[in-house]
Amino acid sequence: MAASSASASTLCIYRLRNFEFRNGTTLPSVHLAYLDINPQSPRTALINTAFRGRLNSTCTFANGALRNHRIIVVALFGNGESASPSNTDGFPGEVDYTDCVRAQHELLTSHLHIDHVDVALGFSMGGQCTYYWTLMHPRYVRRAVIICSSARTSRHNYQFLEGPKAALLHSVDYHGRDARESAGPSRGLCAFGKAYSAWLTSAEWFEEEMYRSLGYATLADWDQATTAANYVGWDPNDLLCKLGMWQRGDVTAIPGSGSARLEDALAGIEAQVLLMPCRTDQYFRWEASERESRMIARARFRPIPSIWGHLAGVGINKDDTEWMDQNIAEFIG
Amino acid sequence: MAASSASASTLCIYRLRNFEFRNGTTLPSVHLAYLDINPQSPRTALINTAFRGRLNSTCTFANGALRNHRIIVVALFGNGESASPSNTDGFPGEVDYTDCVRAQHELLTSHLHIDHVDVALGFSMGGQCTYYWTLMHPRYVRRAVIICSSARTSRHNYQFLEGPKAALLHSVDYHGRDARESAGPSRGLCAFGKAYSAWLTSAEWFEEEMYRSLGYATLADWDQATTAANYVGWDPNDLLCKLGMWQRGDVTAIPGSGSARLEDALAGIEAQVLLMPCRTDQYFRWEASERESRMIARARFRPIPSIWGHLAGVGINKDDTEWMDQNIAEFIG
């Protein structure tokens, strides 16, 4: 159907009526933004966006391992495409991955009439949301690919996020939760980006001046892009909303999980899971993924051999992307 | 001499006349603050303060491996005790470890009439200054102890520091280089501390809740102390002054070094050097210290087996302090 093919990268909107967030807020209308790529394909993939991810920057494997799948790419609440502080009056101060999964489940079942997902995939926050999917709808998701992520945000990861958060909250041009910021860069976003920047990759990456491979002649040039240009168009309150969801990420806190022990929670996963942390990720550390892999009945642990740290999983470095693509292809068979 | 003993922990001041800083600024009078502990002892130790170090918090080994030494503890320019933006009109915007060493050399030779230093020791920025000493006065320093430090600030370390720096510079209550801040806590200092906090120790340290060993029941309690109380009394411009010196730390940039290659510079060290990085330090990484140890003629490489990360070297954790003390005792014989 030519029309379907043409709509491959068109942003779609699904509206949910009277949606109740976990924090108790109920809104008469909230929306999910998503892409529906290759809608005629017989197998279905579900991909969630990451922290600073937009729908169109979250299609890394669409032309690779997932090219024969119908791919639903869906934006997390708070990313500025789905309902977020910047685009929805009364949006709650705290959102939760369970909110994202409940809304997405309605989208997939009631609206798109998809009866199961063959592979759910996510990087970073997208991986956390994917973990929630495997536990909130264990039989709906057949396989899960978790890239540079974790089932529970570590204390170290939590504390790292306190840095950029505080840099923004205390900045001279942050005007509070209720202010609609202009979308341009600001000193607060610059401070946010600076406080985040050294975590993104790895010490080895800096040592070997890998920013050159991205076209930056000097560290200062890379810094300028990373801490300013990268944040153009991002609303401060949207970033803070998602950051809070990330900090609270913890599958043992899913209502009804019944145990605060990670091993008990992860024992509930029925999907086959491919875990691909990066060997040099400074905050979603491979050691945590390895521990998780031992708590999941059918897990495959494949750490990315790269000095790109967390960014290895985002699709920015060709070698890492090809490595992941091949591992995903083998995993989904 | 009872008087000497009584003066052990008294803060001493030495004034330098017409001191010319490396950046070209000349001031009619600048001062060094120092302690002179056990002045009657035959052997001499020189200890420099670290980034957030005061003289009285920099005496870790005074009652241990160095107890039989006369110990000169000297404050880096910018620490608020020696000449600093907060206490000296016209203090230069950029200071350099070479400024510290030149001033300290005058103190030790012209004022204290010390003809050599048996052991120079420093943690973190103090270690960097110690490295400068070994190269600016190779025969004056017989042994050097470098704790959680490096001869050249790595790009990763540099970029990490951009975070707290930006958090402070863009904060709502930072009023610029020329403003004398009140000494109390501020939102800018809080943001600085937050952006710094997750780097201080290690991922394992957070995972194992080691803040409990410091008396904090929760991560939030530790965070509160680390990002607020720890900065009470610190002047924002003093912190920025020292942070810049740290970022520019590079022994190959010592005037007359003649080579930008670290191996060429470190070949000039005549002192015996004990390098004690920490296995889990996230920014002064042990791998860099190991490389340096191979470039130094008489080096001993002893990584601290600890999950306390950078803080292993500061003397906060008893086991690490005892481990270092023993290694220093063996090293100085």
Side-chain angles (χ1 to χ4, degrees):
Chain A
M1 217 164 83
S4 302
S5 176
S7 71
S9 58
T10 304
L11 189 143
C12 308
I13 296 292
Y14 175 65
R15 293 206 167 271
L16 301 105
R17 302 296 164 191
N18 299 315
F19 187 81
E20 184 178 354
F21 289 88
R22 185 171 177 184
N23 86 331
T25 304
T26 298
L27 293 181
S29 173
V30 297
H31 69 279
L32 286 180
Y34 66 100
L35 306 179
D36 189 352
I37 302 173
N38 310 324
Q40 300 309 310
S41 294
R43 298 206 289 177
T44 303
L46 171 69
I47 303 179
N48 265 275
T49 59
F51 177 65
R52 211 168 40 73
R54 305 287 198 200
L55 291 170
N56 280 322
S57 65
T58 311
C59 306
T60 308
F61 308 106
N63 294 317
L66 300 180
R67 67 184 174 281
N68 294 324
H69 286 63
R70 176 181 189 177
I71 306 174
I72 311 297
V73 186
V74 62
L76 290 175
F77 281 136
N79 95 317
E81 294 174 317
S82 286
S84 305
S86 67
N87 62 26
T88 302
D89 287 334
F91 197 81
E94 288 195 359
V95 289
D96 194 89
Y97 288 120
T98 57
D99 296 321
C100 297
V101 172
R102 283 190 300 111
Q104 292 176 20
H105 188 258
E106 182 180 322
L107 162 67
L108 266 63
T109 55
S110 300
H111 182 62
L112 298 176
H113 306 294
I114 293 170
D115 64 8
H116 75 278
V117 164
D118 292 287
V119 55
L121 179 150
F123 159 70
S124 197
M125 284 188 74
Q128 295 197 306
C129 194
T130 301
Y131 258 128
Y132 275 66
W133 259 106
T134 64
L135 286 163
M136 292 173 66
H137 300 284
R139 296 187 179 171
Y140 191 79
V141 176
R142 305 289 161 82
R143 288 186 174 83
V145 178
I146 309 287
I147 302 172
C148 299
S149 190
S150 68
R152 178 159 65 189
T153 297
S154 73
R155 295 183 189 88
H156 180 245
N157 191 338
Y158 180 97
Q159 192 65 30
F160 134 57
L161 292 170
E162 288 287 288
K165 180 174 113 183
L168 177 53
L169 285 175
H170 295 298
S171 69
V172 68
D173 54 6
Y174 175 69
H175 303 300
R177 268 206 66 221
D178 297 326
R180 291 286 169 90
E181 307 288 328
S182 64
S186 69
R187 292 178 62 186
L189 287 178
C190 171
F192 186 99
K194 288 266 194 184
Y196 202 126
S197 60
W199 294 103
L200 280 170
T201 56
S202 74
E204 297 90 331
W205 185 90
F206 285 96
E207 194 60 29
E208 298 185 19
E209 299 181 272
M210 294 303 290
Y211 40 83
R212 290 174 180 270
S213 74
L214 299 174
Y216 301 106
T218 67
L219 178 56
D221 290 342
W222 174 81
D223 171 83
Q224 175 64 21
T226 302
T227 61
N230 275 3
Y231 289 90
V232 173
W234 285 94
D235 180 278
N237 287 314
D238 288 356
L239 291 175
L240 292 169
C241 169
K242 289 219 292 186
L243 189 145
M245 180 155 65
W246 176 353
Q247 286 189 308
R248 289 186 298 276
D250 181 357
V251 294
T252 71
I254 295 173
S257 83
S259 169
R261 287 162 43 96
L262 195 58
E263 47 269 57
D264 294 340
L266 295 186
I269 296 180
E270 299 188 21
Q272 294 183 52
V273 181
L274 170 62
L275 295 113
M276 293 193 290
C278 176
R279 281 279 180 209
T280 54
D281 194 321
Q282 295 181 89
Y283 48 98
F284 280 113
R285 300 176 79 235
W286 68 265
E287 294 92 335
S289 292
E290 188 179 46
R291 279 195 298 275
E292 290 172 0
S293 73
R294 285 186 258 108
M295 302 171 186
I296 297 168
R298 296 187 295 165
R300 189 183 290 205
F301 174 70
R302 293 285 185 278
I304 309 169
S306 169
I307 64 170
W308 282 71
H310 190 62
L311 287 193
V314 84
I316 199 174
N317 182 43
K318 187 165 167 285
D319 288 350
D320 298 333
T321 306
E322 289 176 358
W323 189 94
M324 288 188 288
D325 199 67
Q326 184 171 342
N327 275 274
I328 295 168
E330 289 169 8
F331 175 63
I332 62 182
Chain B
M1 220 165 78
S4 300
S5 176
S7 70
S9 59
T10 305
L11 188 143
C12 308
I13 295 292
Y14 174 65
R15 292 206 166 271
L16 300 105
R17 302 295 165 192
N18 298 317
F19 187 81
E20 184 178 353
F21 289 88
R22 185 172 178 184
N23 85 331
T25 304
T26 298
L27 292 181
S29 173
V30 296
H31 68 279
L32 286 180
Y34 66 101
L35 305 179
D36 188 352
I37 303 172
N38 311 323
Q40 301 307 309
S41 294
R43 297 206 290 177
T44 303
L46 171 68
I47 303 180
N48 265 275
T49 59
F51 177 65
R52 212 168 39 74
R54 306 289 198 198
L55 291 170
N56 281 322
S57 65
T58 311
C59 306
T60 309
F61 309 106
N63 294 317
L66 301 180
R67 66 187 174 280
N68 295 324
H69 286 63
R70 177 182 189 177
I71 306 174
I72 311 296
V73 187
V74 62
L76 290 175
F77 282 136
N79 95 318
E81 294 174 318
S82 285
S84 304
S86 66
N87 62 28
T88 302
D89 286 334
F91 196 82
E94 288 195 359
V95 289
D96 194 89
Y97 288 120
T98 58
D99 296 320
C100 297
V101 172
R102 283 189 300 111
Q104 292 177 20
H105 188 257
E106 182 180 320
L107 163 67
L108 265 63
T109 56
S110 301
H111 182 62
L112 299 176
H113 307 294
I114 293 170
D115 64 9
H116 74 277
V117 164
D118 292 286
V119 55
L121 178 149
F123 159 70
S124 196
M125 284 188 74
Q128 294 197 306
C129 194
T130 301
Y131 257 129
Y132 274 67
W133 259 106
T134 64
L135 286 164
M136 292 174 66
H137 300 285
R139 294 184 182 176
Y140 191 79
V141 176
R142 304 292 161 82
R143 287 185 174 83
V145 178
I146 309 287
I147 301 172
C148 299
S149 190
S150 69
R152 179 160 66 190
T153 297
S154 72
R155 295 183 189 90
H156 179 244
N157 191 338
Y158 179 98
Q159 190 67 29
F160 134 56
L161 292 169
E162 287 288 289
K165 181 173 114 185
L168 177 53
L169 285 174
H170 295 297
S171 68
V172 68
D173 55 4
Y174 175 70
H175 302 301
R177 268 206 65 222
D178 298 327
R180 291 286 170 90
E181 307 288 328
S182 65
S186 69
R187 293 179 62 185
L189 288 178
C190 171
F192 186 100
K194 289 267 193 181
Y196 201 125
S197 60
W199 293 103
L200 280 170
T201 57
S202 73
E204 296 90 331
W205 185 90
F206 286 96
E207 193 60 29
E208 299 185 20
E209 300 182 88
M210 293 304 289
Y211 41 83
R212 290 174 179 270
S213 74
L214 300 174
Y216 302 107
T218 66
L219 178 57
D221 291 343
W222 173 81
D223 170 83
Q224 175 62 20
T226 302
T227 60
N230 275 2
Y231 289 90
V232 172
W234 285 94
D235 180 278
N237 286 314
D238 289 355
L239 291 176
L240 292 170
C241 169
K242 289 219 293 184
L243 189 146
M245 180 154 65
W246 177 354
Q247 285 189 309
R248 288 186 297 277
D250 180 358
V251 295
T252 71
I254 295 173
S257 83
S259 169
R261 287 161 44 96
L262 195 58
E263 47 268 58
D264 294 339
L266 295 186
I269 296 179
E270 299 189 20
Q272 294 183 51
V273 181
L274 170 62
L275 294 113
M276 294 193 290
C278 177
R279 281 279 180 207
T280 53
D281 194 322
Q282 296 180 88
Y283 47 98
F284 281 114
R285 299 175 80 235
W286 68 265
E287 294 91 335
S289 292
E290 187 180 47
R291 279 195 297 274
E292 290 172 1
S293 73
R294 284 185 259 111
M295 302 173 186
I296 297 168
R298 295 186 296 165
R300 190 182 291 204
F301 174 70
R302 293 285 185 276
I304 310 169
S306 169
I307 63 170
W308 282 72
H310 191 61
L311 287 193
V314 84
I316 198 174
N317 182 44
K318 188 166 167 285
D319 288 350
D320 297 333
T321 305
E322 289 176 359
W323 189 94
M324 288 187 288
D325 200 68
Q326 183 171 341
N327 274 274
I328 294 168
E330 290 170 8
F331 175 63
I332 63 182

